[in-house]
Amino acid sequence: MKIVLNFISIVLLFLCLYLQNTEAVLSVNATPEYVHPCRKSDPELNECIKATLNHLRPYVLQGIPEINVPSIEPLIIQKMQMENGHGPVKMRGIFSNMTIHGGGNYTILSVKSDLNKYRVDFGIHLPYIEVTGNYDVNGNVLLLPVRSRGEFWASFTNVTAVAKLYGIEVTKDGVKFMKTDRLGIGFKLQKPLFRIKDVINRNNVIGEAMNVFLNENANEIIEEMKPAASQAIGKHFKNFLNTAFLQIPLKVWLKDYE
């Protein structure tokens, strides 16, 4: 019996340590340095939220271990899927092992909020984004069948985006939080450049022709793929935002929240 009790004690200890590492919820009385708090009653609430998001930039660059938020420079995305079934570009793509540089250099340009409905829209600017990773795509471009798999590199300049965040209130252990329920993303960018290393059409004219085609028609292809890309990006960043939102009580960043 003593051995069994000792074993149970050890298991409970490990469970406690595990929960401490995964649930890094802040106290409602905390005001960590990375939080620039606002008040719902502030007539300049939108400007305050904008300042809060810009204030976060150096902290998310490094990551915030206290609430399990990883660094966004570089941003690592293990897998992202997108599919476009309409128009001249019909394509299904799986992108994996993606490394994104430049996301930490964001600037929040504008904020429009209605925190009674947990709704926040914000405009973002990124001077330059560079992405590397693996891809696997198949589909049709202008009625021509496309099948390609390998490594890719892409860069984008002067990226502007509008994010529409739809939140809901959730309660954990009597403490209220805002959770991202939906996140819509719309974006514009300039000077897209692509380079692929196709392992299916390796070392032949088809592989090189695809590189030429991608760059000569980059704007048109991006325009066709925007809805699918926006959906995939919104899904990823919804999860990323909730990593933080569900660790920071509403009372911490909205000081007059009741």
Side-chain angles (χ1 to χ4, degrees):
M1 178 64 72
K2 185 175 181 181
I3 293 174
V4 173
L5 290 174
N6 285 339
F7 176 76
I8 293 172
S9 298
I10 292 170
V11 171
L12 290 174
L13 175 61
F14 275 107
L15 282 173
C16 288
L17 290 172
Y18 175 77
L19 291 172
Q20 286 174 359
N21 288 331
T22 56
E23 289 293 328
V25 178
L26 293 178
S27 162
V28 292
N29 298 315
T31 307
E33 61 182 7
Y34 49 84
V35 174
H36 178 275
C38 296
R39 294 182 178 274
K40 286 179 69 176
S41 59
D42 186 347
E44 299 295 327
L45 177 59
N46 289 334
E47 287 300 309
C48 184
I49 294 174
K50 183 172 81 170
T52 295
L53 295 171
N54 284 321
H55 174 79
L56 265 175
R57 184 169 52 234
Y59 299 98
V60 294
L61 272 170
Q62 299 174 4
I64 310 174
E66 183 182 8
I67 54 172
N68 298 325
V69 173
S71 170
I72 63 169
E73 193 61 60
L75 178 64
I76 307 297
I77 300 178
Q78 295 299 328
K79 187 176 181 181
M80 183 181 290
Q81 291 183 236
M82 61 182 70
E83 182 173 359
N84 182 55
H86 306 283
V89 179
K90 298 179 180 179
M91 195 171 295
R92 172 183 291 177
I94 299 175
F95 301 88
S96 57
N97 302 319
M98 296 169 63
T99 301
I100 304 170
H101 291 273
N105 198 24
Y106 72 83
T107 299
I108 302 298
L109 301 175
S110 62
V111 170
K112 182 179 180 181
S113 67
D114 182 351
L115 292 185
N116 290 318
K117 298 179 179 179
Y118 299 108
R119 173 73 189 273
V120 184
D121 298 349
F122 43 95
I124 310 165
H125 178 258
L126 296 156
Y128 179 79
I129 291 286
E130 182 177 278
V131 188
T132 58
N134 302 109
Y135 74 95
D136 188 344
V137 302
N138 63 79
N140 292 276
V141 178
L142 302 176
L143 302 180
L144 298 175
V146 173
R147 180 74 178 93
S148 182
R149 183 176 72 248
E151 300 174 357
F152 78 93
W153 170 90
S155 70
F156 311 99
T157 301
N158 196 26
V159 180
T160 55
V162 175
K164 297 180 179 292
L165 187 156
Y166 301 82
I168 57 175
E169 183 184 290
V170 296
T171 301
K172 296 193 301 181
D173 298 325
V175 179
K176 294 181 179 180
F177 301 81
M178 187 179 88
K179 178 181 179 181
T180 304
D181 186 47
R182 287 186 291 136
L183 182 66
I185 301 284
F187 62 88
K188 294 181 180 180
L189 44 84
Q190 297 177 3
K191 297 180 181 178
L193 294 174
F194 297 97
R195 185 73 189 173
I196 63 171
K197 187 177 180 181
D198 188 333
V199 298
I200 295 179
N201 306 295
R202 181 168 22 200
N203 299 326
N204 63 28
V205 293
I206 296 177
E208 188 54 38
M210 289 186 66
N211 274 305
V212 173
F213 176 83
L214 281 171
N215 286 293
E216 288 184 349
N217 299 276
N219 290 320
E220 290 80 4
I221 293 172
I222 288 171
E223 197 62 35
E224 288 293 328
M225 292 298 294
K226 260 187 182 181
S230 295
Q231 185 177 25
I233 293 168
K235 182 178 179 180
H236 174 81
F237 280 99
K238 170 190 167 183
N239 295 333
F240 183 88
L241 286 172
N242 279 336
T243 300
F245 276 146
L246 295 179
Q247 310 301 322
I248 305 177
L250 276 162
K251 190 79 172 177
V252 170
W253 59 277
L254 281 179
K255 287 300 184 183
D256 56 352
Y257 178 81
E258 297 298 336

